[in-house]
Amino acid sequence: KTQSAFVEKKHCNIGTIGHVDHGKTTLTAAITKVLANDGLAKFVSYDEIDRAPEERSRGITINAAHVGYSTKVRHYAHTDCPGHADYIRNMISGASQMDAAILVVAANDGPMPQTREHLLLAKQVGIKYILVYINKADIVDNELLELVEIEMRELLSDFGYDGNTVPMICGSALKALNGDESEFGAPSIRKLLETMDDYVPPIVRDLQSPFLMPIDNAFTVPGRGTVVVGTIKRGVMKRNDEADLIGFGHNIKTTLSDIQIFKKSVTEALAGDNVGVLLRGMKIKSVETGMLLCAAKSFKLSNHYKAKIYFLTRNEGGRKKPIFSKYSQQMFSGTWNIACRIDLDPSLHMMMPGDHGEVYLTLLEGMVMTQGQPFTIRENNVTVATGIITDTLP
Ligand code: GDP
Ligand code: MG
């Protein structure tokens, strides 16, 4: 019963990704334009989207526009970033946690370096559903459109998506934005939206596993105690449940004295809910952003993890030099970062930028990381590697 409550919300986080100037912002504006004409959204102009306000997420500055619109089927929160670096930061920091992405590729260029990089990142951060919008169909002939489609299917397969089944829509975002009703104009946008509704299934939250919530924020309510704020990642929280607040080498036992959603007390909250939780006997100074609130005894701290990693090439903004064992840098994951040492597979002497493979991570302090959790490695504020956790080691 609770499960269906989530399906009924029918909300989807989506975003445009792809090479600079391929038409991501034009497409975002065109979607709102077409839906506005059909009475389903408020038109948001190109300039409004491109002037995305600066926001700080997980300690890094990101420019991102969040545009909301609805089809007949569901509501979408759509993220469009102005620059390539903003995408990198947005995606690897999980700032907008896209359920699906629209990969925009200009037909006159075909896939370009940032097309590949965004696709790689999409895979690494766990975006399950990709749709391709082959843009600028107004300035190329049909043969080229077909060629780009073939190239894109191969590229998708190279990155671990099912290239054969990923939907591809050809069109012209610019024509659509200008109200053109010919094939590549507004109809291509309607087709894209219908495909989004069909292809991306309703996101069902995991309500079975023990609850887990990364802490985004914490504050003190005078006379009551410490409240931690976050979005429940999985499971169900009930008032008076026992819990552990865990991370950065600490594991503190506590009890959920009160749970609030939109400032109203509730007896339970489900995965996907944004909540404030009053923790019994908790001191504010014990709480750090990036700790986890989880069901009692459901997780153990560890300093050691196995991971799959990809070192960005120089062109992708990565290192010039090879990577050897004992490579120590700052690791970023979710809402937190920590000093981390990377050791290569013993059979390898070194790895080069552009290489990917299995590595061993040693964190300065014990943390909880789960299988499939994405992270990045940054060197002097530049992302040099992205990875996912594959195993917790004792
Ligand atoms: P972004 O960097 O991916 O967000 O790309 P923009 O949306 O800013 O578009 C880059 C340029 O391509 C702009 O000058 C747009 O007007 C132009 N453009 C976008 N879509 C189309 C299209 O369908 N056809 C043509 N001919 N130009 C387009
Ligand atoms: Mg743009």
Side-chain angles (χ1 to χ4, degrees):
K1 185 175 151 245
T2 34
Q3 197 113 7
S4 68
F6 265 89
V7 178
E8 275 159 31
K9 269 192 188 171
K10 288 184 181 156
H11 176 86
C12 182
N13 294 325
I14 200 157
T16 29
I17 58 173
H19 197 74
V20 62
D21 280 346
H22 277 199
K24 299 178 293 297
T25 304
T26 310
L27 178 66
T28 307
I31 288 173
T32 65
K33 171 82 181 251
V34 169
L35 284 171
N37 285 350
D38 299 342
L40 285 162
K42 179 183 157 288
F43 173 54
V44 187
S45 75
Y46 179 97
D47 286 335
E48 283 173 89
I49 298 165
D50 215 39
R51 259 192 279 110
E54 203 171 76
E55 59 180 53
R56 285 186 74 77
S57 175
R58 285 136 214 209
I60 36 182
T61 310
I62 300 170
N63 277 307
H66 305 288
V67 178
Y69 51 81
S70 299
T71 61
K72 289 196 179 93
V73 176
R74 65 182 157 200
H75 179 260
Y76 289 91
H78 180 129
T79 306
D80 183 71
C81 298
H84 175 61
D86 297 305
Y87 276 101
I88 304 293
R89 290 187 285 260
N90 185 65
M91 289 169 76
I92 59 190
S93 72
S96 51
Q97 288 173 343
M98 290 181 228
D99 302 311
I102 307 165
L103 178 57
V104 181
V105 58
N108 57 328
D109 273 348
M112 295 289 278
Q114 290 164 12
T115 318
R116 302 176 68 88
E117 196 180 349
H118 289 189
L119 200 52
L120 167 73
L121 277 170
K123 190 67 196 179
Q124 297 242 345
V125 302
I127 298 176
K128 283 209 190 84
Y129 302 96
I130 300 275
L131 302 94
V132 175
Y133 187 82
I134 302 177
N135 192 29
K136 309 200 185 185
D138 55 315
I139 53 170
V140 301
D141 57 34
N142 282 342
E143 263 169 46
L144 193 54
L145 284 177
E146 277 169 38
L147 198 64
V148 171
E149 173 165 344
I150 292 166
E151 271 183 286
M152 289 305 294
R153 291 200 185 282
E154 282 173 2
L155 189 67
L156 284 154
S157 297
D158 285 349
F159 283 98
Y161 288 98
D162 185 357
N164 294 321
T165 58
V166 166
M168 306 232 171
I169 289 111
C170 292
S172 165
L174 190 61
K175 277 191 159 187
L177 183 59
N178 292 334
D180 188 303
E181 282 293 338
S182 66
E183 184 195 351
F184 289 143
S188 77
I189 303 295
R190 286 187 202 106
K191 197 165 148 199
L192 172 67
L193 290 164
E194 274 164 31
T195 311
M196 279 155 53
D197 287 344
D198 286 348
Y199 184 65
V200 186
I203 308 302
V204 180
R205 313 286 167 185
D206 173 5
L207 302 177
Q208 261 62 54
S209 306
F211 69 80
L212 169 68
M213 182 181 90
I215 308 299
D216 288 335
N217 206 349
F219 58 89
T220 304
V221 180
R224 294 205 74 196
T226 298
V227 171
V228 294
V229 179
T231 303
I232 304 174
K233 223 168 148 182
R234 58 181 221 199
V236 178
M237 265 183 196
K238 293 200 173 74
R239 190 188 295 158
N240 295 324
D241 272 356
E242 293 193 350
D244 294 332
L245 183 73
I246 186 167
F248 299 103
H250 300 284
N251 187 345
I252 308 165
K253 279 180 64 133
T254 183
T255 302
L256 316 181
S257 305
D258 189 22
I259 305 170
Q260 297 204 339
I261 302 179
F262 292 118
K263 296 184 174 147
K264 284 215 169 70
S265 285
V266 294
T267 51
E268 65 168 39
L270 316 181
D273 286 338
N274 190 264
V275 294
V277 185
L278 180 68
L279 298 180
R280 185 167 302 158
M282 186 65 63
K283 295 201 177 71
I284 183 85
K285 65 174 198 290
S286 309
V287 186
E288 264 188 79
T289 297
M291 291 176 101
L292 290 181
L293 184 66
C294 58
K297 299 192 182 77
S298 58
F299 281 100
K300 275 206 187 85
L301 289 169
S302 179
N303 298 69
H304 302 284
Y305 293 92
K306 209 171 166 183
K308 276 209 169 70
I309 204 167
Y310 170 81
F311 290 101
L312 275 69
T313 64
R314 189 76 198 132
N315 279 344
E316 290 165 333
R319 282 165 61 92
K320 261 203 298 257
K321 295 185 192 154
I323 297 94
F324 299 94
S325 279
K326 297 194 177 130
Y327 173 65
S328 292
Q329 290 297 344
Q330 203 69 12
M331 168 207 259
F332 288 75
S333 187
T335 54
W336 51 278
N337 62 86
I338 200 166
C340 165
R341 190 182 81 199
I342 299 176
D343 289 303
L344 308 185
D345 190 287
S347 68
L348 291 178
H349 171 56
M350 63 178 184
M351 288 177 79
M352 295 298 292
D355 284 352
H356 59 93
E358 205 121 72
V359 292
Y360 296 85
L361 308 176
T362 305
L363 312 188
L364 184 64
E365 292 173 301
M367 296 297 294
V368 174
M369 301 191 77
T370 52
Q371 207 190 348
Q373 184 168 337
F375 66 87
T376 65
I377 304 293
R378 292 158 66 83
E379 204 178 310
N380 303 324
N381 283 327
V382 175
T383 301
V384 294
T386 81
I388 54 168
I389 298 295
T390 52
D391 227 336
T392 305
L393 303 172

